Every structure is written in C-alpha cells, then in structure tokens.
C-alpha cells in the first residue's frame, strides 16, 4: 500500500491468519442465522458484538444491532433506565470496534445513530475524540464526528476555530484541521457572525496564518490546499452576475432566409442566418444558477409574448442549474424592424448553486431586422459545400476590420458596481503575488509555481473588465509550460489550464482576436458574404474555455489541436459550421455537447481517435456514470430500435439522432467503416454529404 513492497508472510503469521479466518466464518454463519430469523436474544446480540470486534467493517452486523435496539425500545416493559442501558451497551460496542479500526465508517455512523436517539449523554464524546485524535490527529472520521458533536452540544464555531488553531500549531501538516477550519469559516461567513461580517477583515489574517506553514515547509501540501480555499473565497463573488449575452446590448440583429448581410450598419457579430423562424437569446452567468424563467427574465418585443418563451439550461447533465441559459425567440417571416428589451433578475428567483440570489438586476436591448430572401440553385451549392481548409479563407478588408473592432467592446457586460467592492480583493491578490514571487526566488517549488499561476490568472480575470487587457498572461503561460516539464505526472492538467489561459489571451483584445478572424472566400456578391470564421487551429489546445466571449461565433475552426473534450461548446448556440479535424476525441460520447447546438449544419470530426479504444472512458469523466445524459432519454417504444445495426451502435444513434446536419466528415477514425457510415445515413436522413461525397 502507498508504494510499500509486499513482504512474504511468516509461517506463524499465516497460521494465526488462518485461525482468525476460521473463527470469523463460524461467527458469521451463526450471526446470519440469527439475522435472517430476526432473533434478538441477549446471546444473539452479544455474538454480533464479537463479530464486530473482529471485523468492524461488517455493515450488516451494524444494521442488525440497529434492528435489535429498535426491537428492545418497542417492548411494552421498556423504561428510561432500560433504554439508557441498551444505548450505553451500543456505545461500548462502538468504542471496542474503534480500538480495532478507528477509521471504520460503520462504527462512526453507528455512534452518531445512537446519540441521535437523544437518550445518551454527549459530554463524554469530546474526551473520547481527544483520545483518538492524539492517536491520529488527521483522522478525518474523527473530525467529521467532532463537527456532529459540536453541533449537538451547541458549541460555538469560534471555540472550534480556536481548537483547529491549536491543532495546527501542534502539527501544521494536518489536512483535516485545515479543512475543518475552512468549514467553520464558511459557516461563520454565511451566518454573518459578529467579527465575520466582512471577508476583507478576516481573510488577510488567514493569509498571514497560512504563510507561516507554507514558508516553514513549502513541500508540505496540507497548507497549500487551505491557501487554494482562501483564494476561492477572495475571487468568488457571492451573488451571481450576468457575464455576457447574445445578442449583445445595442446590437442590430439581421435575420435572412439564406445568407447573412454584413453592411456597414450591421456587425458581423450579430448578423445571423436562420432557417427555423427563430433565433436564440443566450444568457451567460459567472456561476451556475437556477430559476431562470419567464418570471425572472422578461423579454419585451412587439412580435412575441414573454410567457411563450421557454428558458432551458445548457449543461452536460440534466441538471436544472447551469451557467448558460437559452430561449428561442420566434420571428415573423415578413419584413420586420423591432426593438427587443431583455430584463434579467428584476424579479427574485434566480439563485446560484451556493444559495445566493441574483442581486444586480440588469437589462440589455437590441434591434431585430428580418429580410426574407429567396435562393437560386447556384447559391445552394455554394452554401451547402463548405471546407474549412487554409486555401478557402481570406483576411478581412479594412472596413470589415473596423466593424469587428467597433463591436468587440459590446461582447462582455461590465458590472460597474464591482469596482469599489473589489478593491480589497485586488489588494489581497497583489500582496499574495508579491509573497509567492519572493518564495519562488528562495526555493524551486512546483506547487508554488502553480499557486502563482492561479493568483496571476485571478488578478487578470478580476481586472480585465476595467483594464481591457490581461497583464500577466505571458507569465502564466510560461509557468504552466515549466510545470509541464517539471511535473510530467500531472502534464495533462497543466496542459488543460494552459489552453484556457491561451484562449483567454486570444479573446482578450481586439488585436489578438482579429488575428484569428477570417472570411470564407466564397461569396455570391459584394453585398452578401459569409460570417466570420474564428480560426483557433494549430494552437495545441487540449481544453476549451473563454466561452463567454465566443457566443457570437457561427463558424469555428478547431482543427489540428489536441482536444479530448469539447465540454462547454454547448454555450455557442449560433454555431452552424464546426471543424474538429485532427484532434484527440476518443469516443462518440465526447460529442455530446454538440447535441444542444440546433443550428449546426456542417461538422468535421475526421482524423480523431474515435473507435481506437474499446472502452468509452468519456462517460466516466463526470461525477457518476448515472448522471451522464447519453441515452438517459431512452424511449424503448421507438421503432428504430428494431434495426439491429442501430442497436449495435446505440451511442451513435443517441448522439446524432437530433442533429440536423447537411455535411459530415468522419474519415480517419477507426469507427468510420462503410457499415458505420450506412448507420449514420439511417440516423440522419437529411444528411446530404458524407466524407466529401454527395448522398443520393
């Protein structure tokens, strides 16, 4: 265990182990007989105690004793003295079991259950805990139980905070004590207890406290975890905020039946092709929220009723909370020029997953212009055959560049009320940055570099809305590059973090964004052109981010990267054309975010690793395989499941069945044989082109 080599057992040890196993089997046989026959005699209960003394992890034995206790408590002649005697016996059995294994889940849970009956004195519990915590001060079972006891005794958080401080001074390498301190402070902040009303008064003292541990031994990780918690408390605002939206405030949205008009009055960020008679309104919050509906978000316009709008969360699971929410606004097919006003949070009900109300009502407005346009056959072929290759793009002209630059500042919502409130946060982060620069000048410490990178990232993220630039992005990128070399065990984590920083840098300024914006070369006339194609290819990206700045994108080139996941891409509701060519996507379920992109018509997933791995590990990336939404809406009555080919490719069916693709490229994946392609054609009857070949 933990890297220790196994040693061959001695003959006498083997004999003792064999005798113990034989005794345990005999006890278990007799115990199960009593349990199955619901026998709760004194002899039967004592036998379960012997079993638990040998094996404290026998959950069945603990549950049997609960049933036995309930049996005695429900006897007609039961009185307060007999109740106390029964429960005291249980506490003694638990204590004996903990002497054998004081990390036994079942024993600690059983002790909680006994005390929750309310007939036992709790005064002795802290003395018992002191005994166990002297044996192992980091035993998290004992710390969990201590929280239960402190709450039962109505012991104040301040007293417990002092206890954690004493334990940390005794041994600062105490993960559990640091963790308990974070739990206690969180409770005090939530209660707004006296002396803990303002984080800016408490957190600086906590930073000073943790510095003592970190500077004493930079290689001890326990203090670093607490510092990470402090950083989260510093940068995370309690109330959720609206970070960005599409359409953006003050924009003109032009919808046409075929192509996007991009005249001088219309920004390429808001020109939109729509063949569904509607367009999305996207709200992007700075943290996951619930309660977004037609009561908490009102949309006023002259062509649609607010109550008709259905707001949906965009998340990888079927959760009713998400950072991104979308509703589709229906528009008439005739000419239209109208103003739309969206009010967010003027009525209470939007609540973060941490339980905080959306406290800063906001409003944005935009104009909608609908211009029907007929297509001729020559335009159809151009629009429906798109290849995101280098030779098919050209840079924007000067007029188009000015249009992009004028629109850039509208992409992010600036929450002005944060400026004053964030002063203490800036000061705290600046002080920590200075502190860890000093530490790294003294010692080469991996976790110190990681912490400095996090601090610089946090400082830039907080200052960006006011400074319009990321001051430390180059330094952060260099730190993650160093960590990838220094700590190859966690290479992928650093790579993912570096990818997010790189994307934030690309989208942080007008100049850097413009370098990645291209125009698809085919156009029907000087007045009609394709939308911007954002080309983020060949950047070695392994993870996507900065979605709040990409809601406007309709054409996206992510080819020749190292993406294994496209989580978060579901926020980009305008995407109609996407290239994921030459990445490292390993399974069909990795494509799940695309199921929520109702405008997607052209998809290139060629030359990935789909089918290389017999086990689809993507579905286990989330917290539980059961929370994964692929196939969760299975309708066993669907006649399509009678097709053997589709049954054998059920993941393909549930990924692609809701797609409305015209063009798909899947060549270069192990899974992409002729048989699989025929399955895709069955699943997507509207598909017109597969791997560059027109379908009949």
């Amino acid at each position: 265990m933990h890297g220790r080599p196994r040693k061959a057992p001695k003959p006498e040890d083997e004999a003792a182990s064999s005798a113990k196993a034989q005794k345990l089997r005999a006890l278990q046989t007799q115990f199960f007989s009593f349990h199955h026959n619901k026998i709760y005699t004194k002899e039967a209960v004592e036998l379960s105690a012997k079993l638990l003394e040998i094996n404290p992890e026998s959950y069945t034995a603990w549950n049997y004793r609960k049933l036995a206790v309930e049996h005695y408590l429900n006897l007609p002649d039961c009185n307060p003295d007999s109740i106390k005697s029964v429960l005291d016996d249980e506490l003694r059995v638990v204590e004996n079991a903990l002497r054998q294994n004081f990390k036994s889940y079942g024993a600690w849970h059983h002790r909680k259950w006994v005390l929750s009956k309310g007939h036992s004195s709790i005064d002795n519990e802290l003395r018992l805990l002191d005994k166990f915590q002297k044996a192992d001060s980091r035993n998290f079972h004992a710390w969990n139980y201590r929280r239960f006891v402190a709450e039962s005794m109505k012991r104040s958080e301040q007293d417990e905070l002092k206890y954690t401080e004493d334990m940390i001074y005794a041994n600062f390498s105490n993960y559990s004590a640091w963790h308990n301190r974070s739990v206690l402070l969180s409770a005090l902040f939530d209660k707004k207890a006296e002396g803990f009303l303002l984080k800016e008064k408490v957190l600086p003292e906590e930073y000073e406290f943790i510095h003592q541990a970190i500077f004493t031994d930079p290689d001890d990780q326990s203090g670093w975890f607490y510092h990470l918690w402090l950083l989260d408390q510093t940068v995370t605002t309690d109330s959720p905020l609206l970070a960005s939206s599409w359409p953006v405030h003050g924009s003109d949205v032009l919808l046409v039946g075929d192509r996007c008009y991009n005249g001088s009055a219309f920004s390429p960020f808001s020109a939109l092709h729509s063949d569904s008679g509607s367009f999305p309104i996207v709200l992007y919050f700075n943290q996951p929220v619930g309660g977004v509906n037609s009561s908490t978000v009102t949309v006023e316009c002259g062509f649609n009723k607010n109550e008709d709008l259905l707001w949906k969360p965009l998340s990888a699971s079927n959760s009713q909370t998400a950072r991104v929410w979308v509703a589709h606004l229906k528009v008439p097919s005739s000419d239209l020029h109208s103003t739309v006003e969206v009010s967010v949070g003027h009525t209470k009900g939007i609540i973060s997953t941490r339980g905080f109300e959306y406290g800063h009502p906001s409003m944005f407005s935009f104009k909608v212009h609908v211009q029907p346009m007929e297509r001729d056959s020559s335009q159809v072929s151009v629009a429906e055959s798109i290849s995101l290759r280098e030779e098919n793009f050209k840079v924007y002209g000067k007029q188009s560049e000015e249009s992009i630059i004028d629109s850039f500042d509208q992409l992010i919502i600036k929450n002005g009320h944060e400026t004053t409130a964030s002063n203490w946060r800036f000061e705290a982060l600046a002080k920590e940055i200075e502190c860890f620069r000093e530490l790294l000048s003294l010692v080469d410490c991996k976790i110190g570099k990681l912490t400095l990178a996090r601090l610089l990232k946090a400082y830039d993220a907080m200052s960006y809305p006011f400074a319009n630039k990321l001051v430390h992005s180059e330094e952060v990128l260099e730190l993650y590059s160093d960590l990838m070399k220094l700590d190859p065990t966690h290479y992928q984590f650093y790579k993912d973090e570096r990818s997010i920083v790189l994307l934030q840098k690309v989208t942080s300024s007008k100049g850097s964004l413009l370098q990645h914006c291209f125009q698809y070369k085919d156009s029907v006339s000087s007045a009609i052109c394709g939308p911007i194609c954002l080309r983020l290819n060949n950047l070695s990206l392994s993870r996507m981010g900065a979605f709040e700045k990409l809601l406007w994108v309709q054409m996206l080139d992510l080819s020749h990267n190292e993406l294994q996941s496209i989580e978060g891409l579901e926020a980009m509701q305008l995407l109609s054309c996407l290239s994921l060519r030459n990445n490292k996507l390993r399974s069909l379920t990795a494509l799940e975010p695309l199921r929520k992109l109702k405008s997607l018509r052209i998809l290139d997933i060629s030359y990935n690793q789909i089918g290389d791995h017999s086990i689809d590990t993507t579905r286990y990336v989330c917290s539980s395989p059961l929370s994964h939404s692929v196939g969760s809406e299975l309708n066993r009555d669907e006649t399509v499941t009678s097709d053997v080919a589709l049954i054998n490719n059920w993941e393909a069916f549930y990924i692609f069945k809701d797609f409305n693709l015209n063009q798909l490229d899947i060549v270069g994946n192990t899974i992409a044989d002729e048989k699989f392609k025929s399955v895709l054609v069955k699943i997507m009857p509207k598909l017109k082109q597969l791997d560059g070949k027109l379908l009949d």
Side-chain angles (χ1 to χ4, degrees):
M1 185 177 181
H2 300 301
R4 297 176 185 174
R6 288 181 178 271
K7 293 182 179 179
K10 297 177 182 178
E12 56 269 28
D13 293 336
E14 285 187 327
S17 179
S18 177
K20 182 179 178 181
Q22 189 174 356
K23 181 181 177 182
L24 183 60
R25 280 195 294 270
L27 281 172
Q28 284 178 331
T29 301
Q30 197 172 356
F31 162 73
F32 283 123
S33 174
F34 289 144
H35 184 27
H36 292 154
N37 292 297
K38 298 181 180 179
I39 297 172
Y40 304 118
T41 62
K42 184 179 180 181
E43 178 192 2
V45 174
E46 285 178 352
L47 185 136
S48 70
K50 291 178 182 177
L51 176 61
L52 287 166
E53 205 169 323
I54 299 173
N55 179 20
E57 293 304 313
S58 177
Y59 289 94
T60 306
W62 289 118
N63 288 334
Y64 168 80
R65 292 193 70 88
K66 289 182 177 67
L67 293 171
V69 168
E70 295 292 352
H71 170 76
Y72 284 124
L73 297 185
N74 290 324
L75 290 175
D77 58 346
C78 189
N79 58 60
D81 288 339
S82 62
I83 291 173
K84 185 177 185 307
S85 175
V86 168
L87 295 178
D88 284 349
D89 282 343
E90 292 304 306
L91 293 176
R92 276 192 292 274
V93 170
V94 171
E95 195 167 340
N96 289 334
L98 289 173
R99 286 196 182 98
Q100 291 295 318
N101 178 12
F102 55 77
K103 294 185 177 181
S104 168
Y105 285 89
W108 287 109
H109 282 297
H110 193 71
R111 197 169 187 89
K112 278 186 183 180
W113 180 82
V114 172
L115 288 173
S116 66
K117 289 291 183 182
H119 298 284
S120 304
S121 172
I122 204 165
D123 296 335
N124 185 52
E125 298 307 297
L126 287 181
R127 286 193 293 273
L128 178 69
L129 281 167
D130 284 340
K131 187 190 301 182
F132 283 117
Q133 288 185 308
K134 282 177 182 176
D136 181 2
S137 63
R138 301 194 297 184
N139 183 354
F140 71 89
H141 298 275
W143 282 96
N144 285 339
Y145 187 68
R146 185 181 184 89
R147 285 191 285 274
F148 166 77
V149 170
E151 186 179 353
S152 301
M153 295 178 68
K154 297 188 173 8
R155 184 175 160 88
S156 72
E157 281 94 351
Q158 288 89 335
D159 288 341
E160 285 297 289
L161 203 64
K162 178 66 171 64
Y163 178 78
T164 64
E165 190 172 320
D166 293 340
M167 293 293 284
I168 289 166
Y169 276 126
N171 176 17
F172 65 79
S173 183
N174 191 329
Y175 290 85
S176 297
W178 289 113
H179 171 68
N180 201 52
R181 192 170 184 84
S182 69
V183 171
L184 292 166
L185 283 173
S186 295
L188 289 165
F189 288 146
D190 290 344
K191 289 180 181 178
K192 299 190 183 301
E194 185 178 351
F196 298 87
L197 185 63
L198 299 174
K199 288 184 179 180
E200 54 263 45
K201 302 293 184 183
V202 179
L203 293 183
E205 295 177 0
E206 291 299 307
Y207 276 121
E208 290 298 326
F209 186 36
I210 193 61
H211 288 167
Q212 297 176 47
I214 289 174
F215 275 75
T216 301
D217 185 0
D219 291 326
D220 185 89
Q221 295 186 27
S222 54
W224 291 103
F225 284 105
Y226 186 67
H227 189 277
L228 181 60
W229 178 81
L230 289 177
L231 177 58
D232 180 66
Q233 293 297 307
T234 304
V235 302
T236 303
T237 56
D238 290 337
S239 297
L241 298 169
L242 186 64
S244 65
S245 70
W246 195 92
V248 296
H249 179 63
S251 63
D252 288 83
V253 178
L254 175 64
L255 292 103
V256 295
D258 177 43
R259 305 280 282 185
C260 301
Y261 176 72
N262 192 14
S264 59
F266 297 96
S267 160
F269 287 94
S270 54
L272 177 67
H273 163 59
S274 174
D275 56 8
S276 61
S278 66
F279 68 91
I281 299 176
V282 183
L283 304 178
Y284 197 107
F285 296 90
N286 69 334
Q287 55 185 289
V289 299
V292 176
N293 52 51
S294 57
S295 298
T296 55
V297 178
T298 58
V299 179
E300 295 183 8
C301 61
F303 54 88
N304 211 307
K305 293 182 180 179
N306 176 61
E307 55 268 23
D308 292 338
L309 285 179
L310 178 63
W311 288 94
K312 294 182 179 181
L314 298 177
S315 63
S317 65
N318 290 323
S319 170
Q320 288 304 302
T321 60
R323 278 192 171 196
V324 191
W325 287 75
V326 64
H328 285 82
L329 192 62
K330 293 182 180 178
V331 295
S333 56
S334 56
D335 284 356
L336 173 72
H337 302 277
S338 179
T339 298
V340 179
E341 291 188 354
V342 182
S343 299
V344 182
H346 289 81
T347 302
K348 288 187 175 181
I350 299 177
I351 302 175
S352 72
T353 52
R354 300 168 65 205
F356 292 100
E357 288 267 0
Y358 183 84
H360 305 285
S362 51
M363 188 273 289
F364 61 94
S365 62
F366 54 91
K367 294 179 181 178
V368 178
H369 308 268
V370 178
Q371 292 184 4
M373 184 178 294
E374 295 182 359
R375 298 185 292 180
D376 60 39
S377 59
S378 64
Q379 295 177 12
V380 172
S381 61
V382 171
E384 293 180 351
S385 182
I386 293 180
S387 175
L388 301 187
R389 302 293 180 86
E390 195 72 37
E391 62 272 14
N392 292 332
F393 291 99
K394 60 182 180 182
V395 296
Y396 269 88
K398 186 176 181 181
Q399 183 178 355
S400 298
E401 287 184 11
E402 291 173 356
S403 179
I404 294 174
I405 291 171
D406 290 341
S407 305
F408 180 83
D409 290 333
Q410 295 176 306
L411 294 179
I412 298 297
I413 295 173
K414 296 183 179 180
N415 295 285
H417 59 270
E418 286 186 279
T419 311
T420 305
S422 294
N423 284 341
W424 74 269
R425 302 177 194 272
F426 283 119
E427 291 172 7
L429 290 174
K431 191 172 181 181
E432 289 304 294
I433 289 169
E434 182 182 354
C435 178
F436 285 102
R437 287 197 199 282
E438 180 186 346
L439 176 66
L440 290 173
S441 69
L442 301 172
V443 60
D444 191 19
C445 173
K446 289 183 291 188
I447 198 165
K449 287 191 174 189
L450 176 59
T451 300
L452 180 59
R454 285 169 169 163
L455 288 165
L456 295 170
K457 252 178 79 176
Y459 189 92
D460 279 357
M462 196 173 291
S463 61
Y464 173 73
F466 316 109
N468 286 324
K469 61 180 178 179
L470 300 180
V471 178
H472 302 103
S473 58
E474 285 296 338
E475 184 178 357
V476 176
L477 290 171
E478 186 177 343
L479 282 167
Y480 280 122
S481 295
D482 288 347
L483 285 165
M484 288 159 63
K485 298 172 186 173
L486 290 171
D487 187 10
T489 305
H490 301 101
Y491 176 90
Q492 193 58 50
F493 170 78
Y494 302 132
K495 177 80 171 171
D496 289 349
E497 292 298 306
R498 189 182 187 282
S499 296
I500 292 174
V501 174
L502 181 58
L503 283 168
Q504 289 169 340
K505 180 188 175 186
V506 166
T507 58
S508 65
S509 70
K510 303 167 186 178
S512 60
L513 183 66
L514 192 59
Q515 292 176 22
H516 297 271
C517 291
F518 291 81
Q519 179 180 325
Y520 193 71
K521 69 176 184 179
D522 292 328
S523 61
V524 176
S525 70
S526 59
I528 300 174
C529 64
I532 296 173
C533 180
L534 183 64
R535 303 200 69 203
L536 301 175
N537 56 319
N538 288 301
L539 295 179
S540 296
L541 299 175
S542 61
R543 184 178 172 189
M544 286 295 294
F547 294 108
E548 71 276 12
K549 302 171 190 175
L550 302 176
L551 302 182
W552 54 273
V553 177
Q554 296 180 57
M555 297 180 72
L556 179 62
D557 183 4
L558 291 171
S559 64
H560 298 277
N561 281 299
E562 299 173 25
L563 294 170
Q564 296 183 28
S565 167
I566 52 173
E567 183 182 354
L569 212 64
E570 64 273 8
M572 302 174 66
Q573 286 290 294
L574 304 189
L575 268 185
S576 60
C577 182
L578 172 64
S579 176
L580 293 165
R581 184 183 182 91
N582 286 101
N583 274 280
K584 295 184 178 180
L585 299 175
R586 300 169 60 154
S587 66
L588 291 172
T589 51
L591 303 175
E592 189 184 352
L594 304 183
R595 298 174 68 230
K596 300 182 186 294
L597 301 180
K598 303 305 179 185
S599 297
L600 191 63
R601 298 293 178 267
I602 297 165
L603 176 63
D604 187 349
I605 52 174
S606 57
Y607 299 100
N608 276 269
Q609 299 174 6
I610 301 173
D612 283 7
H613 307 274
S614 57
I615 297 176
D616 178 3
T617 56
T618 308
R619 61 172 57 252
Y620 302 107
V621 171
C622 53
S623 58
S624 165
L626 298 178
S627 70
H628 207 66
S629 61
V630 174
S632 61
E633 71 281 27
L634 176 65
N635 180 359
R636 297 189 182 279
D637 293 330
E638 289 189 65
T639 56
V640 73
T641 58
S642 63
D643 189 308
V644 174
L646 293 181
I647 291 173
N648 292 336
N649 292 278
W650 70 269
E651 287 180 333
F653 175 69
Y654 284 103
I655 290 295
F656 289 106
K657 73 183 182 73
D658 294 325
F659 279 21
N660 196 17
L661 295 178
N662 295 332
Q663 183 177 320
L664 173 65
D665 290 280
I666 197 170
V667 69
N669 290 283
T670 303
I671 199 172
D673 56 20
E674 292 304 316
K675 186 177 179 180
F676 183 74
K677 290 178 184 179
S678 67
V679 170
L680 290 179
V681 174
K682 280 186 180 181
I683 296 171
M684 295 179 288
K686 294 183 180 179
L687 194 64
K688 297 175 181 175
Q689 196 174 119
L690 180 60
D691 285 338
K693 297 179 181 178
L694 292 175
L695 300 174
D696 296 333

